[in-house]
Amino acid sequence: MEIISQRPFKYFDVDWTIKYVDEIPHENEHFFYGQTKFDKREILISKNLNDSPVPEIIQQRTLYHELAHIILEEGMYNEASGDEPLVEWIGKSLYELTKNSDLFNK
């Protein structure tokens, strides 16, 4: 897994890193667009999947999905962090509010 770029950020004064990588290793034929590693405080976002480029919008939505995992996990909602439909809904909602509305753009 090659790191293409990195971006640090803080969440509640804890240092995290977003790493854009060439491809995240898959498990049992299950491929990943993104992955959060809580022990290393890093989010991995895949630039490629099955040797094909991942579109920019999918990478952005994946980042919001992974941020939703962090929000839930750090808020002590550990079981909710494992609820993928909930995490996906929160991620999509945050993306919609910040990217596709005028709420934060004025």
Side-chain angles (χ1 to χ4, degrees):
M1 177 175 55
E2 177 187 345
I3 299 170
I4 297 171
S5 65
Q6 312 190 83
R7 194 165 134 205
F9 72 100
K10 283 191 181 282
Y11 183 65
F12 288 114
D13 276 335
V14 175
D15 292 319
W16 283 80
T17 304
I18 300 166
K19 294 182 179 180
Y20 291 88
V21 298
D22 58 343
E23 194 163 356
I24 297 170
H26 63 276
E27 301 172 358
N28 302 327
E29 302 302 317
H30 187 250
F31 295 89
F32 299 101
Y33 287 114
Q35 187 176 47
T36 299
K37 295 190 172 193
F38 290 97
D39 59 330
K40 295 182 178 182
R41 300 283 190 236
E42 65 185 22
I43 294 173
L44 304 177
I45 304 293
S46 186
K47 300 284 269 178
N48 298 292
L49 191 66
N50 265 348
D51 297 322
S52 297
V54 174
E56 183 74 26
I57 192 167
I58 300 297
Q59 292 176 44
Q60 290 175 1
R61 287 180 178 168
T62 300
L63 175 57
Y64 279 78
H65 174 100
E66 298 305 326
L67 289 171
H69 277 294
I70 291 173
I71 291 166
L72 292 168
E73 190 78 21
E74 294 298 321
M76 303 305 289
Y77 295 98
N78 301 355
E79 287 184 26
S81 179
D83 183 344
E84 285 299 317
L86 174 64
V87 171
E88 185 67 14
W89 174 246
I90 292 170
K92 284 181 176 180
S93 297
L94 290 171
Y95 179 86
E96 183 66 26
L97 286 169
T98 59
K99 296 290 185 178
N100 292 333
S101 79
D102 292 334
L103 182 61
F104 297 104
N105 297 325
K106 288 191 176 192

